[in-house]
Amino acid sequence: MAIEIRQATVLDLPEIMNLETASFAKDAWPEETFKSELAAKHTYYILALEDNLVVGYAGLSKLPGSDQADIQTIAVREDKRGLGIGKKLMDTLTLQATELGAKEIFLEVRADNSIAQKLYKLFGFKQIGTRKKYYQPDGVDAFIMKTDMRLKTNKEPVVLGIETSCDETGVGIVRGNQVLANIISSSMDKHAIFGGVVPEIAARAHLEALTPVLDEALEKANLTLDDIDAIAVTNGPGLAGALMVGVGAAKALAVATGKPIYAVNHLVGHVGADILDRGELKTPTIALLVSGGHTSLLVVRDLLNDVELLGETIDDAAGEAFDKVARVLGLSYPGGPEIDRVAKDGNPNAIRFPRGLTLPKDMEKHRYDFSFSGLKTAVARHVELAESKGEEFSIADVAASFREAVVDVLIKKAVSACKEFDVPRLLLGGGVVANARLREVAKEQCEANGIELRIPPFSLCTDNGAMIAAIGAQLIMAGRAPSTLNFSAESTLPVTTVQS
Ligand code: KG4
Ligand code: ZN
């Protein structure tokens, strides 16, 4: 679903009236009223279109000389609700109101329309009064709501982002789309003897690292907490105990400083990293996020409103597979860089290891999902068998063949998503992006298929606070209200929840 927003004209009246009468059965505006609204100089009406069909509309009125605007109406076709179209319409209206110089926006909403009220609250609207029995014929009250744009006209907010979802404690500071500081402390060394991230150790390390990392970020940016406009924090997905440390710290900072707080989705943060690299995110884009904690394939049509999970790993994450196979081969942790190093001298076609979830029957149910545990077992078997027979085997060949199997599946599925969804862009994120072969095959395959490949610098690919701050800044610039303090750490937060 690709939604386009454009300004409405009188020519759109028939389609608008269809939707108006379907949406507001009892109190639809008469056609004449709508016509004069569309034609008026002081109004701004917009449409949401899907395949050139009107699926929503909204309108704003702003008299010249006044610094107040009114949202006149908003409607989304019934079968298209809950897909972020209302948010997109509101994004455009509030931006237009700001550009027209409005400092406050007012609206009226039916007291029984809790869905619309929820949308307005997302944009900072608060109820300031009630008009009794305003909507006729059924005598329902109208709530009068207002939002203050003065807080949101900040075009380049300074946001401090906190990231603790796995084993990196990250604090980043951005101004708008620009990184001012990006400090990371990793507890990787502490997990090395276990060959993988131990959640309790990660959480404890976050506790110890957070204050020094925060201080260092402020120092690097040459700012004090007073200079920060808002705080953003990852509240999921990730390790529950690790997330809790960041969420607790961010809330404490918000309360102590009185600054607004934004709870941000970690995976969306990885996508936002590209904004910091090139100043914008080109959409739509397919995003392949591969790290020690996740392997996710997303289609991002709009960073704040329309992110969809196409598939993810059903067992081990890609980085985890590298770490586990490295252990089988007697290499150290983290395994990714080690396997990359050893594989350089190996033959990638020496052993044909299985490609998880690529058989026709798997492709029906798991077209964009991944599985690496079968591959890991196959490598272990191969090594055991050779050892039990007392045969020599080439670690380089095993490493190269394993790496080839992982990369093959990752890039094939990502490229096929680009084709199927007709998206000419692929963005990579996560620590596994460091993999030399992954980068090579991604480049080859994208070039061969006319796909633009985006790989942000490595410091923005691995888990970091700057990417979380970037999403916070985007939310503020889109006029979104801060999160309320009752959000919590959610280890399985879905990617559709960009802000909690
Ligand atoms: O994004 P990241 O730093 O954070 C966590 O997941 O915590 O990713 C770390 C993962 C590890 O599993 C590591 O083995 C993997 O990324 N990795 C690599 C390479 N460098 C790091 N995997 C494959 N090839 C690499 N060169
Ligand atoms: Zn991550």
Side-chain angles (χ1 to χ4, degrees):
M1 180 198 65
I3 297 293
E4 184 208 337
I5 305 283
R6 73 154 164 84
Q7 201 170 346
T9 72
V10 176
L11 295 178
D12 299 308
L13 191 60
E15 274 213 71
I16 293 179
M17 284 314 296
N18 276 344
L19 189 49
E20 172 77 10
T21 42
S23 305
F24 307 103
K26 289 187 211 138
D27 47 8
W29 284 0
E31 184 158 344
E32 273 312 303
T33 310
F34 226 120
K35 192 172 173 187
S36 57
E37 274 288 303
L38 287 173
K41 284 223 160 52
H42 63 278
T43 62
Y44 178 78
Y45 275 78
I46 50 171
L47 302 178
L49 300 153
E50 183 185 29
D51 297 330
N52 287 323
L53 282 178
V54 174
V55 290
Y57 58 80
L60 180 86
S61 135
K62 156 86 178 53
L63 289 169
S66 157
D67 56 9
Q68 298 179 342
D70 290 275
I71 295 207
Q72 302 288 77
T73 183
I74 181 164
V76 174
R77 207 171 78 193
E78 198 171 359
D79 59 326
K80 294 287 170 187
R81 290 181 193 155
L83 300 172
I85 298 173
K87 277 195 249 169
K88 262 192 176 175
L89 288 165
M90 284 294 289
D91 274 345
T92 312
L93 281 193
T94 52
L95 191 71
Q96 179 68 14
T98 315
E99 276 172 12
L100 291 170
K103 300 219 163 62
E104 293 171 318
I105 309 180
F106 293 80
L107 60 81
E108 277 146 11
V109 57
R110 285 177 69 106
D112 58 2
N113 189 349
S114 59
I115 296 177
Q117 289 163 26
K118 208 170 135 200
L119 173 68
Y120 298 141
K121 282 182 190 153
L122 198 63
F123 285 83
F125 281 88
K126 293 200 171 70
Q127 191 187 342
I128 56 162
T130 308
R131 284 192 220 286
K132 290 281 174 206
K133 300 194 167 53
Y134 182 74
Y135 293 98
Q136 295 306 332
D138 39 5
V140 173
D141 294 349
F143 287 165
I144 306 167
M145 300 181 90
K146 182 184 100 164
T147 188
D148 192 337
M149 299 306 287
R150 269 168 286 225
L151 305 171
K152 301 168 195 159
T153 40
N154 192 346
K155 289 240 158 38
E156 289 205 310
V158 177
V159 183
L160 180 131
I162 299 178
E163 156 62 42
T164 64
S165 69
C166 192
D167 61 341
E168 272 94 15
T169 313
V171 176
I173 302 174
V174 305
R175 173 177 284 125
N177 295 339
Q178 191 199 342
V179 184
L180 303 182
N182 191 18
I183 307 297
I184 294 160
S185 159
S186 173
S187 57
M188 198 167 266
D189 297 351
K190 301 193 171 96
H191 308 285
I193 50 166
F194 304 99
V197 176
V198 183
E200 290 76 10
I201 295 178
R204 187 163 183 101
H206 287 309
L207 265 180
E208 286 166 6
L210 205 52
T211 309
V213 170
L214 172 67
D215 290 343
E216 197 181 332
L218 286 167
E219 194 181 325
K220 175 83 205 300
N222 204 10
L223 296 174
T224 68
L225 278 176
D226 273 351
D227 304 314
I228 304 290
D229 294 314
I231 293 155
V233 61
T234 305
N235 77 313
L239 303 170
L243 287 165
M244 264 182 242
V245 177
V247 167
K251 284 186 183 177
L253 268 182
V255 171
T257 59
K259 311 270 179 189
I261 186 167
Y262 288 80
V264 167
N265 187 302
H266 176 79
L267 294 175
V268 178
H270 274 296
V271 181
D274 202 31
I275 298 176
L276 299 174
D277 184 27
R278 69 164 165 186
E280 61 168 343
L281 176 77
K282 283 205 183 148
T283 52
T285 186
I286 298 289
L288 173 67
L289 309 177
V290 275
S291 75
H294 39 78
T295 308
S296 311
L297 195 58
L298 319 177
V299 54
V300 183
R301 299 184 187 92
D302 179 310
L303 184 65
L304 301 187
N305 301 311
D306 193 352
V307 183
E308 187 189 333
L309 179 73
L310 296 178
E312 59 190 339
T313 180
I314 60 168
D315 40 54
D316 294 343
E320 200 179 349
F322 274 95
D323 297 335
K324 288 180 175 169
V325 165
R327 198 147 64 144
V328 168
L329 297 178
L331 302 169
S332 59
Y333 176 84
E338 285 295 289
I339 290 194
D340 229 7
R341 180 177 60 80
V342 175
K344 252 200 332 263
D345 308 315
N347 172 6
N349 304 315
I351 310 137
R352 173 81 195 170
F353 284 128
R355 270 68 172 157
L357 300 182
T358 54
L359 297 173
K361 71 170 169 42
D362 295 325
M363 289 297 278
E364 273 171 36
K365 223 176 116 198
H366 292 290
R367 191 168 183 77
Y368 294 119
D369 289 328
F370 303 93
S371 165
F372 297 107
S373 87
L375 171 61
K376 172 192 68 190
T377 310
V379 175
R381 278 234 186 84
H382 182 90
V383 171
E384 271 164 28
L385 198 67
E387 279 172 349
S388 69
K389 288 190 196 155
E391 287 173 6
E392 284 275 315
F393 71 94
S394 155
I395 291 191
D397 282 353
V398 174
S401 302
F402 159 75
R403 182 176 73 163
E404 197 65 17
V406 175
V407 169
D408 188 22
V409 179
L410 288 175
I411 299 302
K412 266 210 187 105
K413 293 206 175 201
V415 167
S416 96
C418 288
K419 288 192 195 161
E420 181 171 323
F421 290 87
D422 202 16
V423 171
R425 251 166 246 115
L426 174 61
L427 173 71
L428 303 184
V432 179
V433 169
N435 192 275
R437 184 68 185 142
L438 181 82
R439 296 172 89 94
E440 192 174 63
V441 176
K443 191 162 174 282
E444 270 167 29
Q445 288 303 310
C446 285
E447 271 171 18
N449 289 285
I451 296 165
E452 181 196 3
L453 177 65
R454 294 292 308 165
I455 311 181
F458 194 58
S459 60
L460 292 174
C461 275
T462 52
D463 292 351
N464 67 85
M467 68 185 193
I468 301 306
I471 301 295
Q474 291 295 313
L475 289 165
I476 294 169
M477 292 188 280
R480 297 300 167 80
S483 306
T484 49
L485 276 175
N486 56 11
F487 72 84
S488 51
E490 287 186 51
S491 58
T492 58
L493 185 71
V495 71
T496 41
T497 306
V498 176
Q499 179 192 359
S500 294

